[in-house]
Amino acid sequence: MTSENHATVKADSAALVMSPTGSTSQAAPFSPSTSKPIQELPDELIQAGWSKCWSKRENRPYYFNRFTNQSLWEMPVLGQHDVIVSSGFRIPVTPTTPTIPISPNMTCLNWSLCLRVYWDLDVQTNAVIRERAPADHLPPHPEIELQRAQLTTKLRQHYHELCSQREGIEPPRESFNRWLLERKVVDKGLDPLLPSECDPVISTSMFREIMNDIPIRLSRIKYKEEARKLLFKYAEAAKKMIDSRNATPESRKVVKWNVEDTMNWLRRDHSASKEDYMDRLEHLRKQCGPHVASVAKDSVEGICSKIYHISAEYVRRIRQTHLTLLKECNISAFVIYSSCFKDRLVYCYPVRLSIPSPPQPRVELHFENDVACLRYKGEMVKVNRGHFSKLELLYRYSCIDDTRFEKFLSRVWCLIKRYQVMFGSGVNEGSGLQGALPVPVFEALNKQFGVTFECFASPLNCYFKQFCSAFPDTDGFFGSRGPFLSFSPASGSFEANPPFCEEFMDAMVTHLEDLLERSSEPLSFIIFVPEWRDPPTPALTRMEASRFRRHQMMVPAFEHEYRSGSQHICKREEIYYKSVHGTAVIFLQNNAGFSKWEPTTERIQEFLAAYKVSGRSLPSPGPSSTSTGDKDSKPVQEQSSARSQDNSSPVDKTAPDTTNI
């Protein structure tokens, strides 16, 4: 079929782009020549990207594949010209030209394209929960999300200015993002993104990361001259800080003596190696660090407190605007739960909201090549065609209040905007905090250990259609079961790859052990956390000492990969990146879970085979997902030596030995 004819069809029925073909209300386009409805396509064809369209020029229906931009006059047949894609789907690949050629000069385009799909939405869940009442979150709305985005951006700017004005440093990279994650562990406020009711007010994550960059940020060093310059800058900055702050006489004396000693050594010794400079820097940090920290402590606490209180004020404004909008639509924000929800076990299902959604404004949609662009009041968000189709499927599987897909585009806009705002707009910013496991690893987890559920994901990066995510209000329409820290399964097999924030990982371990302690049904968690050993994180130490630990392995740095958190918009060659740190894989299971999904030698070998990089050329080092302080500032060689330390710990006698890949 000619591109001219296909473009006409797109323009004639824009609704087809806005809702997935196959839904009850829009199973087929309007036909001008007949009132007879066009039959629905089988679910298998819809999932493969096929939709039924109407050609005005030819006055008859045809079939179009949104993944491959191919079209046919006859209904496609599953199995013809299929290709196997990485997630196990079979996607029909046929010539772009229809089966009945339009002109004798028409030639077939190259149809050897192999479409990659990074999810498998056909896997059914084995996760069982107790039936729960609908959540009382306020329903998402583009106007509210736009206000939240503007205020969050403004809060980031305040943070940047405070760090610059008070301490003369740039904000530590990703520290604001980790602050949002860490605050959600203790926040009892009502906003899904910004914290407003936290105890303590001072964030341990933000405080630690700023202090680690005082008086200067210590970056990775490759050459001797860089090490010499870094040592000089640290000594100069430490002396300047002590002289300009309200330090004790003892602190002034210690810092001044050590700085002068370092400067004299730099003038004398011109033959020192890089290691000599780094050893001298480490000595200077040990001597001056406590004194520098003591004079900076009050100022840094003031930064943390100021950002928190501004955030609480922004939350008050956002909620007031939201309640006013609902009131104008005659929607009450206070709902009395019915008594039909009983304390019974059911297979897990997506979050439902108790408050009805208000009418949604118009969100414009257009496509630029393979990218779907959604615009509201001049604010555009983007997602590639494959992930846009994935969101259509997740919405069809999970949403129960919008069978006509009238609110689909506005909810997609809110969803993408929320994640865009949470992780910032810098290059690769936030990608490491949203990283996902490679597709072959998910396939092996499902096949070998019955995993059907992700504890930390989003509609954009999930592999299964059942998952927990950060935002129940926006993500529930697309399959989310809500935040993992408030999710309480009774049984099932789960994958947990949390954001690499120390406080968040520690809270995850507390929740996991509580779940395993309470349930007598089969319950299994396979956890993926960074192998940080200098110093070891509390989460890693606690899991290694847990009585529920059944097996542990370590995947070395640069020998495995993650999928980028920006996979829904980045280039195909940038989807996978090498990990700059080792990854610890730990199996936590209760007795019933161990009996059902035991990590036997055969299963582990199959799993390890899937984890090996499949020979593709990967960017290195990829998005930085390391934490702050020593973990981020030490040279790579030092991190590697730290990871190679003995990782033995007291564990249950039934737990197998640790395995290295």
Side-chain angles (χ1 to χ4, degrees):
M1 182 171 296
T2 64
S3 59
E4 175 187 353
N5 186 37
H6 181 63
T8 303
V9 175
K10 281 185 177 180
D12 289 343
S13 55
L16 288 177
V17 183
M18 297 182 186
S19 64
T21 306
S23 64
T24 305
S25 59
Q26 296 188 16
F30 173 76
S31 171
S33 60
T34 176
S35 60
K36 182 178 180 180
I38 301 178
Q39 63 181 9
E40 291 188 5
L41 290 175
D43 286 346
E44 292 82 1
L45 291 179
I46 294 172
Q47 293 179 11
W50 290 101
S51 58
K52 195 169 186 179
C53 307
W54 184 264
S55 171
K56 274 194 171 182
R57 192 177 72 177
E58 299 294 330
N59 198 29
R60 59 171 168 164
Y62 71 98
Y63 301 88
F64 173 70
N65 191 302
R66 66 168 61 90
F67 293 146
T68 60
N69 289 330
Q70 295 148 3
S71 52
L72 293 172
W73 288 123
E74 305 297 333
M75 180 181 289
V77 179
L78 282 176
Q80 286 189 356
H81 312 298
D82 284 4
V83 292
I84 304 296
V85 294
S86 58
S87 68
F89 281 97
R90 298 182 70 87
I91 303 296
V93 177
T94 53
T96 302
T97 312
T99 305
I100 303 175
I102 295 177
S103 68
N105 296 326
M106 182 77 67
T107 58
C108 292
L109 298 178
N110 181 7
W111 47 282
S112 60
L113 173 67
C114 178
L115 179 68
R116 290 181 174 87
V117 180
Y118 300 97
W119 50 86
D120 187 347
L121 306 183
D122 288 336
V123 176
Q124 301 302 315
T125 185
N126 57 20
V128 174
I129 62 172
R130 295 201 174 274
E131 191 173 14
R132 54 189 178 183
D136 58 357
H137 306 289
L138 300 184
H141 190 280
E143 191 64 35
I144 305 303
E145 208 56 47
L146 183 58
Q147 182 189 22
R148 180 179 287 112
Q150 293 169 345
L151 292 178
T152 304
T153 301
K154 194 173 179 180
L155 187 62
R156 287 180 182 272
Q157 293 171 351
H158 280 303
Y159 179 49
H160 187 280
E161 291 169 358
L162 287 170
C163 288
S164 177
Q165 293 170 2
R166 297 193 180 188
E167 300 301 332
I169 62 171
E170 292 289 315
R173 188 175 185 271
E174 305 265 15
S175 59
F176 187 89
N177 301 336
R178 278 187 286 268
W179 174 74
L180 290 174
L181 291 170
E182 182 262 346
R183 294 283 83 184
K184 281 302 167 187
V185 175
V186 296
D187 186 35
K188 294 180 172 59
L190 299 175
D191 192 84
L193 178 61
L194 296 175
S196 60
E197 292 184 28
C198 299
D199 185 20
V201 168
I202 306 299
S203 164
T204 56
S205 171
M206 181 177 284
F207 179 83
R208 180 182 65 249
E209 296 195 35
I210 296 176
M211 291 295 285
N212 284 338
D213 278 7
I214 292 176
I216 63 169
R217 175 174 173 79
L218 302 180
S219 57
R220 290 188 176 94
I221 297 301
K222 292 183 179 180
Y223 306 108
K224 182 179 77 171
E225 287 306 315
E226 292 178 342
R228 178 185 174 88
K229 186 181 296 185
L230 187 65
L231 175 59
F232 178 81
K233 288 175 63 178
Y234 185 91
E236 194 175 52
K239 183 176 183 301
K240 182 179 179 181
M241 175 170 282
I242 287 294
D243 289 342
S244 62
R245 303 289 178 95
N246 187 23
T248 64
E250 179 65 21
S251 292
R252 292 181 187 277
K253 178 181 177 181
V254 170
V255 172
K256 183 179 180 180
W257 187 91
N258 279 279
V259 168
E260 288 180 353
D261 182 59
T262 299
M263 292 298 187
N264 291 333
W265 180 82
L266 285 171
R267 295 188 194 100
R268 284 196 317 268
D269 199 336
H270 298 285
S271 61
S273 64
K274 186 190 83 168
E275 289 71 23
D276 293 333
Y277 288 122
M278 297 306 295
D279 289 343
R280 191 80 187 194
L281 175 61
E282 185 63 26
H283 172 75
L284 186 62
R285 288 184 67 195
K286 287 182 179 178
Q287 296 298 317
C288 299
H291 302 283
V292 170
S294 65
V295 298
K297 180 175 180 291
D298 291 343
S299 175
V300 175
E301 287 182 345
I303 294 175
C304 298
S305 177
K306 182 75 171 177
I307 292 299
Y308 169 76
H309 286 104
I310 294 175
S311 174
E313 171 59 22
Y314 287 171
V315 168
R316 188 193 64 78
R317 291 191 207 173
I318 295 169
R319 186 163 181 85
Q320 185 59 46
T321 306
H322 210 157
L323 293 174
T324 301
L325 185 147
L326 293 177
K327 185 176 180 180
E328 291 173 353
C329 298
N330 296 319
I331 296 175
S332 173
F334 305 97
V335 177
I336 300 176
Y337 298 126
S338 64
S339 59
C340 62
F341 294 95
K342 302 177 181 179
D343 186 22
R344 59 180 179 178
L345 294 176
V346 296
Y347 283 111
C348 71
Y349 54 89
V351 170
R352 310 295 186 204
L353 300 184
S354 59
I355 303 172
S357 292
Q360 299 290 304
R362 175 180 173 81
V363 172
E364 299 174 0
L365 170 69
H366 71 276
F367 287 87
E368 297 177 358
N369 297 323
D370 288 334
V371 177
C373 304
L374 296 89
R375 184 190 300 272
Y376 175 72
K377 287 191 174 181
E379 291 286 327
M380 182 183 293
V381 298
K382 297 182 178 181
V383 60
N384 62 45
R385 281 183 184 266
H387 282 78
F388 185 74
S389 300
K390 174 191 180 184
L391 293 176
E392 289 181 332
L393 288 173
L394 288 172
Y395 195 78
R396 184 162 67 91
Y397 292 150
S398 307
C399 181
I400 61 174
D401 70 342
D402 185 28
T403 57
R404 297 177 61 86
F405 276 72
E406 295 170 343
K407 302 174 182 177
F408 172 70
L409 287 182
S410 63
R411 286 172 173 172
V412 170
W413 189 91
C414 291
L415 166 75
I416 299 175
K417 192 66 176 176
R418 178 75 61 80
Y419 282 97
Q420 182 186 84
V421 169
M422 180 180 187
F423 291 110
S425 56
V427 177
N428 285 331
E429 186 175 3
S431 297
L433 294 175
Q434 301 180 80
L437 301 179
V439 168
V441 174
F442 272 118
E443 292 173 338
L445 289 173
N446 175 247
K447 181 179 178 181
Q448 302 300 328
F449 303 104
V451 173
T452 65
F453 194 106
E454 297 166 76
C455 297
F456 302 94
S458 77
L460 297 170
N461 72 359
C462 65
Y463 177 80
F464 303 114
K465 67 173 180 279
Q466 45 273 339
F467 56 91
C468 283
S469 68
F471 308 119
D473 59 329
T474 55
D475 300 359
F477 301 111
F478 301 91
S480 173
R481 273 57 172 171
F484 177 69
L485 297 183
S486 59
F487 180 70
S488 300
S491 67
S493 183
F494 302 83
E495 175 265 357
N497 177 30
F500 295 165
C501 167
E502 292 189 30
E503 290 78 9
F504 197 91
M505 291 190 292
D506 195 41
M508 173 200 70
V509 175
T510 300
H511 188 55
L512 290 176
E513 294 203 318
D514 182 57
L515 293 174
L516 291 165
E517 191 75 49
R518 287 185 298 168
S519 179
S520 59
E521 299 296 319
L523 196 56
S524 171
F525 295 95
I526 304 176
I527 302 101
F528 299 77
V529 293
E531 182 82 4
W532 290 337
R533 296 287 182 184
D534 187 19
T537 60
L540 185 57
T541 302
R542 290 177 59 196
M543 284 191 289
E544 289 178 332
S546 173
R547 71 184 186 90
F548 297 107
R549 193 195 76 150
R550 306 295 180 170
H551 190 81
Q552 180 175 345
M553 64 191 75
M554 195 275 283
V555 193
F558 299 101
E559 295 183 18
H560 65 295
E561 59 191 2
Y562 283 94
R563 274 183 297 137
S564 170
S566 303
Q567 60 183 274
H568 61 284
I569 196 60
C570 68
K571 297 177 182 178
R572 178 176 294 180
E573 59 270 19
E574 297 174 352
I575 287 181
Y576 284 99
Y577 62 87
K578 288 182 181 178
S579 175
V580 299
H581 52 72
T583 295
V585 185
I586 300 175
F587 290 70
L588 297 184
Q589 301 168 324
N590 61 9
N591 291 334
F594 180 70
S595 298
K596 188 170 185 178
W597 298 296
E598 179 183 355
T600 62
T601 303
E602 294 76 13
R603 287 174 172 173
I604 292 297
Q605 288 176 347
E606 290 292 330
F607 172 75
L608 298 185
Y611 222 137
K612 293 181 180 178
V613 177
S614 57
R616 83 180 129 243
S617 178
L618 298 175
S620 176
S624 175
S625 56
T626 55
S627 182
T628 55
D630 291 345
K631 302 181 188 70
D632 197 37
S633 60
K634 283 185 177 294
V636 173
Q637 293 88 342
E638 295 183 30
Q639 293 188 38
S640 300
S641 64
R643 282 192 295 271
S644 64
Q645 294 174 4
D646 180 25
N647 59 359
S648 59
S649 59
V651 295
D652 188 355
K653 293 181 180 180
T654 61
D657 293 336
T658 298
T659 302
N660 288 333
I661 297 181

